[in-house]
Structures are given as C-alpha cells and as structure tokens.
Amino acid sequence: MLNPWSDKDRILKIEQQIPRAIKDIRYGSVEIIIHRLSLISIAVGSLILGFALPTLAQSTPSTKELLERVETLTRKVQILEQRLEREQESATPKAKEAPVFAAGKDGFFLKSADGNFQLRVRGYLQADGRFFADDQDHVGTDTFLMRRVRPIFEGTVYKYFDFRIMPDFGGGTTVLQDAYLDAHLWPEAKLRVGKYKPPVGLERLQSGSELLFVERGLPTNLVPNRDVGAQLYGDLWDGTVSYALGAFNGVPDLGNGDLDNNDGKDFAGRFFLLPFKNTTIEPLQGLGIGFAGTYGDHAGNVSNPNLPAYRTQGQNTFFRFRSDGAVAGTTVADGNEARYSPQGYYYWGPFGLLWEYVWTSQKVKRNITRATLDNDAWQVALSYVLTGENASYRSVTPAQPFDLQKGQWGAFEIAARYGELHVDKDAFPLFANPANAARVAESWGVGLNWYLNRNFKFQLNYEQTDFTGGGPQGERPKERAVLSRFQISY
C-alpha cells in the first residue's frame, strides 16, 4: 500500500535532482548525465508502480497531489532526455572536426580530423669530434663541432600537396638545405618543385641522419648536393621500379645552389630497380641496382668559376682548380658537363653492401686554353649488424632499445669501406697546381655504430686517405682521421 507521506519525501528528492541534471547537460560529461537521468527514471517509475489502482481508488487529496507531481516529473525527465539527445547530436560533428595532436618517436604531429591538413615537426642534431693523427703539417684541425643542426617542417595541404622546409644551422652558418613542394596525385607520377637533392648519387640520396659512416665517401664529390628545379618521380609495380626525371639550374660537383649564374640548365634522371622485392626469394629481396646521370651546360667566370673542390672524409680539400686571378689566369667552367653513375646495394638479414661509381666530364678553360677533363670515383662499403637486426639502406632499428634496468643495450653494427677518386691527368699543371691539388685519393675506413634506440646513435670511425701528388715536395701527406658522432633524430 502506498504511503503518501513517505513517498512525498522521495518525490522531493527527485525534484532536487532535476536542476542538477539540467546543469550537467549544460556543463557536465555524457556519462554523468546518463547516470543521473537513469536514477530519476527508475525513481519515477517505481513511484508510478507503487501508486497502483488501489491507491487511485482512495482518491485522497494527498494522493492526487502526488500523482500530479509524478506526471510533472515524468514530463521533465522526457524533456531532459530529448535535450540530451540534441546535445549528443551536436557534439558528434564537433568531435569529428576536432584536430588531432600527437607526439612520438617519429616527431610531433598536428592534423585535421579528415587527415587532409597535416603538420609534422621533426629534425636531427649531430655533435661530432674530428681529430687527425700524425698530422705534422697541420693540414687538419682537431675540433669538436655541430656538424648538422636541422629542424624539419613537413606538411600536407588539401590532401594532395606536401611541403618540406629544412634549414641547417650546423658549423655556425645558416643554409637552406630543402624547401620544396610535392603534388602526389598518383603513386606512379608525382611532381616536386623547389630546392632538394637531384636524383644522382646513391650515398648522397641517403639522409644525413642515416649514413653508415660519419662522412660520405669519395664518389659524393662528383655529384651535386642540392639544386633548384622540378622533377617528375614515382614508383611502379608496387615499388619494384622507381624513377626520377628533372630539370635543374645546374651546380658544380658537390655544389649547393639557390640561384643560377648562367642560362644553361641541367637535366637529371635516375632509374632504380628492386627486381626481387615482391617475390618469395628472401635472400634476394634486398637487392637493388640503378643508373643515374646528368647533362647540362656550365659556364663560369673569374669571380664565379662554377667549378668544384674535392674533400676527404676529414673534410679537408685535397683538390682545387687554379684560381690565380684575371691576369695570371683562373680555370673556369666552359661548356657541357656530363655525369654517369651506376650504383647498387644488397641487404640480407644483418649483412649490407653498398657500391657506386661516378664518372664526370667537364669542359674547362684558362685564359685561351680549353680542355675536357674526365674524373671518376668509386667505393664499396660493407656492414654487419652484430646484434642480429636487419641491415638497411635507411637505418638499423634496435630490437631491444637501450635500457639499463632491463639489461638491454640496443644494436651494434660494424662497417668497412674502400674508395678512390681520380682526377684527369690533363688537369695538371695548367688547370690545377700539382703542388696543392692531388691527382689521386685512395681511402679506406672502418667504423662502429651503436644504435641505442631508434632516435639516438653513436658512431666512431677511422679513415685513412693516401694521395698521389698534391704536396709541395711531391705527395700530399696521408690523412689519418678519427671521427665520432653523437646523433639524436626524431
């Protein structure tokens, strides 16, 4: 039998809950709202069942009053439920439109909910040590240095258009290394415009954060560093074939240019084949072979000869053309330059092999004398991951990142390489001075790489280079360099 007086207190408590539920709808979470409305609904339902028909028959004034209150409460609960549904409907589109923030081992990310607009902040920093043993002539300088300090800003605009901006503050200077945009309408054909690496040298195309050795080998002297231009590139047959074809301002070997000083342009192309990438022949899946080259017209003058200087792994110049002024004569570029580069790599499990050959032909002149000089360089680099991880053209990812508490030390890799660079003998003595420009450089090196985790790496190298010519008394002294690097990349 319903007790009107005791149930009256219950109704008052329910009435007190309704304003709180309304406030929750305005300011609270969905879980709290649902919980409170559920309690109100259960309480109201129990009152309705508790009144029953016998209670209605009594028709006492207090009972009628309670029934009216129950009806009022029921209507208010229905209004609250309808309001909650509207709030949820309006909140769903807002949640879908909210941007996504994320941070992890690959950098920092901001993107729209639909993924059409993205901003990625990455970068890497390299703190190096460069020391020279038995350097009695003080050809090299023992030094600590910030080799590369490169923040990277990458993004996507309207789904199909990407951009990348990468300055470099290493070495106490500021250089714009990369600044380009991509239109990736199809995987098979993408368009890149701006400043970036022309598609030539195999080791040059590796990121500076993913190098097997602290410094690139001798063949990189004969390919362009970065240039401004446009190229069409893409991947065919699920990545079995990649290609790049472009037109650039044209820079000398090892050059990094922002503007052109003549009307001639370079045309560059590269084809790279991974013939077994998508097969079941596992030992050959990591085999890649390719061919790259450039052709263009380079012209220089006394103030800007448009010709290169070549460096050792210790970053000391061992070859340069004559620069004796307008009267005595400065060697300058004087026409066509061609580069050709067969290249390849092979990776299987912890074993890695990289090789490349570069040949260049450049027309030069000094005063009224002209010549075509042919230079070439090659190298072979071997690597082995002692801890068993897979070797890669990109980088090694430790299976067990460094953690002292767990007794994990990351991944260790050893490496060795040999390379040579030959300057055309016709460059001497007219176009280059044999007293300070070597004709041949022969280099070998060994290295240890310690990958503490995906983002931190330590490298230690020993590089020795022997020269033919290049010294006042004949041969330039051997260069014995110890190179170290602490690197963090994200």
Side-chain angles (χ1 to χ4, degrees):
M1 194 72 176
L2 178 68
N3 184 344
W5 300 110
S6 63
D7 288 331
K8 183 177 181 179
D9 294 336
R10 295 167 60 189
I11 293 173
L12 290 174
K13 291 181 180 180
I14 296 170
E15 288 178 323
Q16 292 173 359
Q17 294 289 327
I18 290 175
R20 294 173 64 185
I22 294 173
K23 185 178 180 181
D24 286 339
I25 287 177
R26 292 178 179 173
Y27 308 108
S29 66
V30 174
E31 291 81 3
I32 295 175
I33 296 169
I34 294 174
H35 175 68
R36 192 153 288 163
L37 287 178
S38 300
L39 293 176
I40 295 173
S41 301
I42 293 172
V44 172
S46 65
L47 286 175
I48 294 173
L49 292 175
F51 287 138
L53 291 176
T55 305
L56 293 173
Q58 292 180 3
S59 299
T60 62
S62 59
T63 303
K64 289 181 179 179
E65 182 182 1
L66 292 175
L67 287 172
E68 290 175 355
R69 286 190 175 185
V70 169
E71 292 178 359
T72 301
L73 291 173
T74 302
R75 286 195 297 272
K76 289 183 177 181
V77 170
Q78 291 174 348
I79 292 172
L80 288 173
E81 291 176 342
Q82 293 173 358
R83 188 176 297 179
L84 176 61
E85 291 177 359
R86 290 195 297 269
E87 291 285 341
Q88 289 176 330
E89 290 175 357
S90 62
T92 300
K94 291 180 181 179
K96 292 181 179 179
E97 296 174 0
V100 178
F101 299 87
K105 57 189 176 182
D106 294 321
F108 304 91
F109 303 87
L110 169 63
K111 73 175 180 178
S112 60
D114 59 9
N116 289 340
F117 297 85
Q118 301 182 31
L119 176 63
R120 297 174 292 278
V121 180
R122 305 188 301 106
Y124 57 97
L125 181 151
Q126 296 171 341
D128 286 13
R130 188 181 296 161
F131 304 94
F132 299 92
D134 194 24
D135 186 18
Q136 298 178 359
D137 295 332
H138 302 286
V139 176
T141 301
D142 296 343
T143 182
F144 294 104
L145 70 153
M146 301 305 300
R147 181 66 172 88
R148 297 180 178 91
V149 182
R150 296 181 176 179
I152 302 172
F153 304 93
E154 298 174 324
T156 300
V157 180
Y158 287 104
K159 186 178 179 179
Y160 296 108
F161 305 97
D162 298 337
F163 67 87
R164 174 183 170 102
I165 301 173
M166 185 181 73
D168 185 9
F169 303 103
T173 61
T174 301
V175 178
L176 181 62
Q177 296 288 359
D178 290 337
Y180 62 80
L181 59 90
D182 278 351
H184 54 94
L185 304 182
W186 307 278
E188 298 81 9
K190 307 171 188 178
L191 177 65
R192 175 170 295 177
V193 180
K195 182 181 180 182
Y196 49 95
K197 297 177 182 180
V200 188
L202 180 62
E203 194 177 25
R204 168 57 68 190
L205 291 174
Q206 281 185 303
S207 168
S209 64
E210 297 174 335
L211 298 176
L212 181 62
F213 287 84
V214 171
E215 298 292 347
R216 293 180 172 93
L218 292 174
T220 297
N221 280 293
L222 303 186
V223 301
N225 182 345
R226 282 172 170 83
D227 203 354
V228 179
Q231 75 174 19
L232 186 70
Y233 72 103
D235 298 317
L236 307 174
W237 299 296
D238 295 327
T240 302
V241 176
S242 63
Y243 74 93
L245 299 170
F248 300 86
N249 281 337
V251 294
D253 301 342
L254 205 60
N256 186 339
D258 295 290
L259 297 171
D260 204 348
N261 65 345
N262 62 83
D263 293 332
K265 296 294 175 282
D266 276 12
F267 297 92
R270 180 176 185 259
F271 291 90
F272 202 81
L273 177 66
L274 296 167
F276 301 98
K277 177 182 178 181
N278 299 316
T279 70
T280 58
I281 309 174
E282 185 175 349
L284 297 179
Q285 289 176 351
L287 173 65
I289 53 175
F291 184 84
T294 71
Y295 185 81
D297 190 357
H298 295 183
N301 51 57
V302 174
S303 60
N304 189 353
N306 217 12
L307 288 174
Y310 300 146
R311 299 199 297 255
T312 65
Q313 280 83 0
Q315 300 304 291
N316 292 313
T317 300
F318 70 90
F319 174 85
R320 61 170 59 89
F321 287 94
R322 286 187 178 273
S323 181
D324 301 329
V327 177
T330 293
T331 306
V332 301
D334 186 46
N336 297 335
E337 179 182 25
R339 304 182 184 96
Y340 305 106
S341 177
Q343 54 195 239
Y345 58 65
Y346 175 65
Y347 297 98
W348 182 30
F351 174 77
L353 166 67
L354 182 146
W355 64 272
E356 65 179 321
Y357 172 82
V358 182
W359 174 85
T360 68
S361 177
Q362 170 70 67
K363 291 184 177 181
V364 300
K365 74 173 181 179
R366 181 174 177 231
N367 294 331
I368 61 173
T369 306
R370 289 177 166 83
T372 299
L373 303 179
D374 297 336
N375 307 327
D376 69 304
W378 63 272
Q379 74 167 341
V380 175
L382 300 172
S383 63
Y384 189 84
V385 184
L386 299 174
T387 45
E389 288 86 350
N390 289 332
S392 170
Y393 176 68
R394 296 302 177 189
S395 192
V396 174
T397 300
Q400 296 182 328
F402 179 80
D403 191 326
L404 281 178
Q405 294 180 348
K406 296 181 180 179
Q408 299 176 180
W409 294 92
F412 291 89
E413 179 183 43
I414 55 174
R417 71 174 169 190
Y418 180 84
E420 296 182 4
L421 188 150
H422 298 259
V423 178
D424 195 324
K425 64 180 186 302
D426 290 341
F428 305 93
L430 183 61
F431 302 103
N433 184 354
N436 58 29
R439 186 170 63 83
V440 178
E442 301 172 283
S443 176
W444 63 270
V446 292
L448 172 67
N449 298 329
W450 180 14
Y451 302 89
L452 282 80
N453 51 52
R454 184 174 177 180
N455 302 97
F456 193 88
K457 176 173 68 171
F458 170 73
Q459 295 179 279
L460 182 64
N461 294 169
Y462 174 78
E463 301 272 4
Q464 179 171 309
T465 307
D466 296 82
F467 305 95
T468 300
Q473 305 302 323
E475 312 300 339
R476 178 187 176 101
K478 294 181 180 180
E479 179 182 281
R480 299 177 175 90
V482 178
L483 310 176
S484 65
R485 170 167 296 165
F486 291 89
Q487 171 185 292
I488 185 168
S489 61
Y490 60 91

